[in-house]
Amino acid sequence: MQRLAKKWRRAGEGIGLVPTMGYLHAGHLRLVREARKRVGKRGKVVVSIYVNPTQFAPTEDLSKYPRDLKRDLKMLRECGVDVVFTPEDSEMYPDRRPVPAGFSTYVVEEKLSRTMEGASRPTHFRGVTTIVAKLFNIVQPDVAVFGQKDFQQAAIIRRMVRDLDFPVRIIVAPTVREKDGLAMSSRNKYLEGDLRRQATVLRRAIEMARATVKKSKRIPLARLKADVGAMIESEPDARLDYVEFFDPESLVAVAEITSGVQMALAVFVGKTRLIDNERL
Ligand code: PAJ
């Protein structure tokens, strides 16, 4: 992949990268379209599919993370992708287990990754920044496209690129949703029976917060957090992990909620952990 990327670069062809963990849906394809738009017809669009073990904690769903490479490849062929990069664990992390003999270097962002997803999943972002840095070095993209669905992830990647001078432009594409408002996610596959309906509570909580902000100019944080909590808990199988209101640039939590504040939440629906976020 790196040899091919170098060849493309020498020929002056722009490269766009969309990193994914596969089990693709319309949200991923939206990123692919964005990459194509950025590099043009003659440029190269690379999609990576790799379920990155270092961003999963031992207790998380790595082994049962949904996979269907055949279906993914068909979808990507239909959207005119140039290369699908599907490395193996043995290539990305040689001899990492049981002791990190063959792999021992990580990229760690130390500020934006402390809150929200980073607080709930302490080693998650170290895995994300490390694999994305590796993908940037392998694919050598001019632009890389990420989804707003993972708002904090996108902010951390932007920070990493700035801090470590990666020569790549980061684009963030809007969240693609199902008809009923549920943000598309590979993990939605886990939602069986009534859990699928209950999962719309993330979006409903965001809408409720939006409506509240529209009605009254300044809302105390504690009150809105309590209202969101109550709404989530009203679903029998939903449990709030966190809800935060913060400045979209710095990710610093705000004391008072006004329009323009970013809202993000994580909710367990049954055993499945879902996230969503929007600007209020
Ligand atoms: P994955 O969850 O497969 O998501 C890949 C990309 O698709 C991410 O940038 C994510 O934000 C975006 N995405 C997911 N659902 C979306 C939706 N409904 N609308 C728009 N974009 C959406 O995020 C990862 O993989 C990994 O952490 C990765 C960056 C690949 C590193 O391993």
Side-chain angles (χ1 to χ4, degrees), residues 22-255:
Y23 209 75
L24 304 177
H25 51 66
H28 294 116
L29 300 186
R30 174 77 180 67
L31 309 188
V32 173
R33 275 207 305 281
E34 192 63 39
R36 173 58 70 197
K37 205 169 89 192
R38 301 288 168 158
V39 300
K41 267 217 297 272
R42 294 199 47 243
K44 303 296 184 187
V45 172
V46 177
V47 173
S48 63
I49 298 180
Y50 180 58
V51 183
N52 171 38
T54 62
Q55 69 188 76
F56 289 78
T59 52
E60 290 177 353
D61 58 345
L62 173 63
S63 63
K64 60 179 176 103
Y65 194 85
R67 296 161 211 246
D68 190 344
L69 186 59
K70 223 173 125 189
R71 177 171 154 276
D72 289 348
L73 292 177
K74 182 162 181 282
M75 287 168 80
L76 293 175
R77 206 168 281 127
E78 284 161 7
C79 16
V81 162
D82 294 284
V83 166
V84 184
F85 177 54
T86 62
E88 300 287 335
D89 285 344
S90 58
E91 298 172 281
M92 293 309 252
Y93 299 109
D95 303 325
R96 192 174 69 91
R97 289 232 148 86
V99 284
F103 187 91
S104 51
T105 307
Y106 291 86
V107 177
V108 182
E109 192 286 326
E110 297 199 327
K111 195 163 160 199
L112 307 180
S113 54
R114 291 262 162 91
T115 61
M116 296 188 279
E117 289 304 286
S120 290
R121 310 176 67 192
T123 57
H124 172 67
F125 284 124
R126 178 182 91 145
V128 171
T129 40
T130 300
I131 198 65
V132 171
K134 283 169 68 69
L135 289 168
F136 285 175
N137 284 331
I138 295 166
V139 180
Q140 308 196 6
D142 300 284
V143 298
V145 189
F146 294 84
Q148 198 211 290
K149 160 85 190 328
D150 299 275
F151 190 88
Q152 190 179 12
Q153 168 172 278
I156 290 167
I157 301 291
R158 272 193 203 285
R159 177 62 60 88
M160 175 186 86
V161 161
R162 203 182 74 188
D163 286 351
L164 300 183
D165 309 286
F166 280 93
V168 53
R169 183 152 169 233
I170 303 300
I171 310 291
V172 179
T175 303
V176 177
R177 297 175 180 282
E178 302 285 357
K179 274 205 188 71
D180 63 6
L182 176 66
M184 288 193 181
S185 164
S186 308
R187 289 190 170 97
N188 292 351
K189 178 186 157 65
Y190 302 142
L191 301 169
E192 285 174 350
D194 189 54
L195 297 179
R196 172 64 187 78
R197 182 200 59 79
Q198 293 183 43
T200 60
V201 75
L202 283 88
R203 169 58 170 220
R204 282 184 274 130
I206 293 172
E207 290 306 323
M208 184 262 283
R210 268 203 176 135
T212 312
V213 171
K214 220 170 171 184
K215 269 202 310 259
S216 41
K217 286 265 170 309
R218 294 177 174 281
I219 304 121
L221 184 69
R223 206 193 84 204
L224 193 51
K225 276 193 171 180
D227 288 351
V228 168
M231 187 167 194
I232 303 296
E233 306 299 324
S234 75
E235 292 294 350
D237 301 300
R239 181 168 62 78
L240 182 65
D241 183 7
Y242 67 76
V243 56
E244 296 294 344
F245 300 88
F246 54 93
D247 176 272
E249 300 298 324
S250 66
L251 307 192
V252 172
V254 296

